[in-house]
Amino acid sequence: QPGDELRYVDWRVYARTGRLYTRLYQAEKAVRLHLVVDDSASMAVGAKRAYARVLAQLISYVAQRDAPTQVHRVSGASTRPLQGRAAMRATWSFIDESTGARGHGPVSGLKTFALSLPPRQGSGLALVVSDLFEDAPLRPALSAIKARGLDAAFLQVVAAEDLDPPRGELEVVDVETEERRPAGPDEVEAYRREVRRFLERTRETVLRAGFRHLLLVAPPAAAAADHAALERQAFADLLRAGVLVRR
């Protein structure tokens, strides 16, 4: 069209078609990130809590360089929207302080977080790092996030101990209520099947809502003692999942 600049002509397309086309560019916009970190008691199983903290810290480190980032705990506390290198120390300290908060399930806490935001506040992303272990329907929380005009991605973190507890005579402890029950080999096998069904249902619910779901398995509990190794694994897992990309 008259007024188009020749430097934007796509010469490869011209060579194929004999017609002149120009490339159109759209300025990149910084998307506000809401990073929701699960600090409920169930995250104490295995290395889930330590692994989830490192995931959140790595994500915030990358995000805060370009976009305002606000970190929320499912127990209710939040940071201010922070951006830039100077704010990273405060963000990481806030994530490190997330300990097992009893009485705050991740699903109900996620819904409370969404309802605390103004409706249709504009473009933004909610990135949830949680095991989502709570006997509560997930769909209302997803609807509340969507009503706020946010996109969402769920990094569901489970421990190896969640998926495959040791065989034998065990005692099952509900870390949220401290209720205890004996469990033999049959109960353990039934538990394994139910955990996998729960993960499949959760993934299906998230995908049906139009959001992204990724399942990440935390390393064994002993690995939490080696912070450098835990950080390397978390970074590799985020790259493999496509949450972080190399430039």
Side-chain angles (χ1 to χ4, degrees):
Q1 300 294 326
D4 287 343
E5 295 196 35
L6 287 177
R7 59 179 172 164
Y8 293 146
V9 170
D10 192 327
W11 297 110
R12 291 187 179 180
V13 173
Y14 174 71
R16 292 199 308 270
T17 66
R19 301 181 65 182
L20 290 172
Y21 291 88
T22 56
R23 297 188 184 95
L24 299 179
Y25 296 91
Q26 185 175 5
E28 291 185 0
K29 295 187 295 184
V31 176
R32 180 171 175 174
L33 175 66
H34 293 277
L35 184 56
V36 185
V37 182
D38 188 352
D39 63 337
S40 64
S42 65
M43 295 297 287
V45 176
K48 276 193 293 189
R49 177 167 295 128
Y51 179 68
R53 282 176 180 167
V54 174
L55 289 173
Q57 287 172 339
L58 290 172
I59 293 167
S60 67
Y61 175 79
V62 174
Q64 277 183 238
R65 298 168 68 179
D66 300 316
T69 301
Q70 191 169 8
V71 184
H72 312 263
R73 300 189 196 126
V74 297
S75 60
S78 301
T79 66
R80 296 180 295 106
L82 301 171
Q83 185 174 356
R85 293 178 181 272
M88 289 179 187
R89 184 185 297 274
T91 301
W92 280 36
S93 296
F94 180 84
I95 294 170
D96 267 335
E97 291 164 4
S98 59
T99 55
R102 297 193 180 278
H104 295 278
V107 175
S108 53
L110 182 61
K111 182 179 178 182
T112 301
F113 145 75
L115 294 176
S116 70
L117 301 176
R120 296 291 170 182
Q121 64 168 12
S123 62
L125 171 66
L127 188 55
V128 181
V129 183
S130 169
D131 62 7
L132 297 175
F133 281 3
E134 183 181 358
D135 187 19
L138 181 58
R139 191 167 298 151
L142 302 180
S143 298
I145 292 174
K146 187 170 290 187
R148 267 55 193 172
L150 296 174
D151 193 5
F154 289 78
L155 305 184
Q156 188 171 15
V157 176
V158 296
E161 294 87 341
D162 287 327
L163 298 174
D164 191 21
R167 299 179 185 275
E169 296 294 330
L170 303 175
E171 185 179 49
V172 177
V173 181
D174 187 326
V175 294
E176 302 286 356
T177 65
E178 297 186 348
E179 181 183 358
R180 295 172 179 267
R181 292 184 181 180
D186 291 342
E187 288 83 4
V188 171
E189 186 57 38
Y191 165 84
R192 284 195 186 94
R193 292 194 299 269
E194 182 55 34
V195 165
R196 282 164 173 76
R197 283 197 291 265
F198 167 77
L199 295 176
E200 290 171 3
R201 290 195 304 269
T202 301
R203 175 177 173 80
E204 183 179 356
T205 302
V206 170
L207 295 178
R208 281 187 175 179
F211 299 140
R212 189 177 182 192
H213 177 276
L214 297 165
L215 182 67
L216 298 177
V217 180
D226 188 342
H227 184 77
L230 192 63
E231 195 172 71
R232 286 194 297 271
Q233 176 169 342
F235 182 66
D237 289 345
L238 289 173
L239 285 175
R240 193 178 304 113
V243 178
L244 301 181
V245 294
R246 296 185 186 276
R247 288 185 176 177

